[in-house]
Amino acid sequence: MPNEIPPRSGVAFELKAGQRLKVIDPRGEQVSDLLAFNRHDIAEVISSGRTLDYASRIYLTTGDALYSNRSNVMLRIGEDRVGRHDFLLTPCSADTFRIIYGDTDPHRGCFGNLAEALAPYGVVPDQIPTAFNVFMNVPVDGATGALTVEPPLSKAGDFTVFEAKMDLIIGLTACSALQSNNHSFKPIHYEIL
């Protein structure tokens, strides 16, 4: 039975080397922000810059590695039923909602949810990097570099599997940004295999 992350919330848990994490979109068109920290040294953290540099592309899928800031492989993508994820945009936050959406009483977003969930592991907010945004659909205009956030391509029941290549602390959310989730907040399911 999968674990459920309620809409606009997040969790943190340990994932041992060799275990697999299955992130499931039970209803479709819902993003999940994924963070990874080395369980034995939280200064080593998932790195968008290193990963995209070594992959030489921004869209990652089956077989691709997610690297740390120390150029070590943290996770490898296994079965991927969607094939479109984002590793460019930072976790949404109260500031995101204030600056982009004009909210006067903003939700704390994925950033706040991740900060709270990861605090028991000693992770402080300033250590939270760009997340691997599972199922997030961010087309990039090749000529201008302009980004747009479009509805996820994930359908109900779609999933992506990640294999841990070291002992990890994982942060995982059901994303809180309307634009990222086609204007509807839904849960995320996950399983440790």
Side-chain angles (χ1 to χ4, degrees):
M1 189 75 171
N3 300 289
E4 181 169 288
I5 305 173
R8 302 189 99 184
S9 70
V11 298
F13 51 88
E14 293 182 32
L15 189 68
K16 293 181 170 54
Q19 288 184 317
R20 291 175 299 136
L21 171 65
K22 183 178 185 180
V23 180
I24 306 156
D25 185 352
R27 298 188 194 166
E29 298 187 333
Q30 175 62 45
V31 170
S32 178
D33 290 29
L34 169 68
L35 291 183
F37 295 81
N38 181 329
R39 178 65 189 99
H40 308 290
D41 181 0
I42 60 172
E44 184 170 18
V45 62
I46 195 169
S47 171
S48 168
R50 299 280 180 204
T51 300
L52 299 181
D53 192 7
Y54 302 146
S56 296
R57 56 192 161 80
I58 60 173
Y59 298 132
L60 306 174
T61 188
T62 300
D64 287 322
L66 304 183
Y67 285 86
S68 76
N69 55 321
R70 297 176 183 163
S71 297
N72 295 313
V73 177
M74 302 190 95
L75 294 157
R76 189 169 297 278
I77 302 173
E79 187 175 356
D80 182 6
R81 293 277 177 94
V82 179
R84 176 60 65 92
H85 314 280
D86 168 66
F87 209 1
L88 297 175
L89 302 183
T90 189
C92 62
S93 65
D95 289 325
T96 302
F97 298 129
R98 182 179 54 80
I99 293 167
I100 294 177
Y101 296 103
D103 292 356
T104 55
D105 184 24
H107 188 273
R108 67 184 184 175
C110 288
F111 184 88
N113 289 331
L114 288 164
E116 181 179 86
L118 291 162
Y121 293 98
V123 176
V124 298
D126 283 346
Q127 292 174 286
I128 294 175
T130 298
F132 185 78
N133 301 306
V134 187
F135 313 130
M136 191 168 178
N137 183 15
V138 182
V140 179
D141 184 299
T144 66
L147 305 171
T148 55
V149 178
E150 301 294 335
L153 302 180
S154 53
K155 306 289 187 240
D158 280 346
F159 61 85
T160 302
V161 177
F162 301 85
E163 182 183 355
K165 305 310 270 185
M166 63 173 72
D167 294 340
L168 299 171
I169 300 161
I170 297 291
L172 197 64
T173 72
C175 181
S176 303
L178 276 171
Q179 190 178 20
S180 300
N181 304 298
N182 202 15
H183 304 281
S184 174
F185 302 123
K186 300 167 289 293
I188 282 290
H189 290 173
Y190 70 95
E191 293 180 73
I192 297 174
L193 309 172

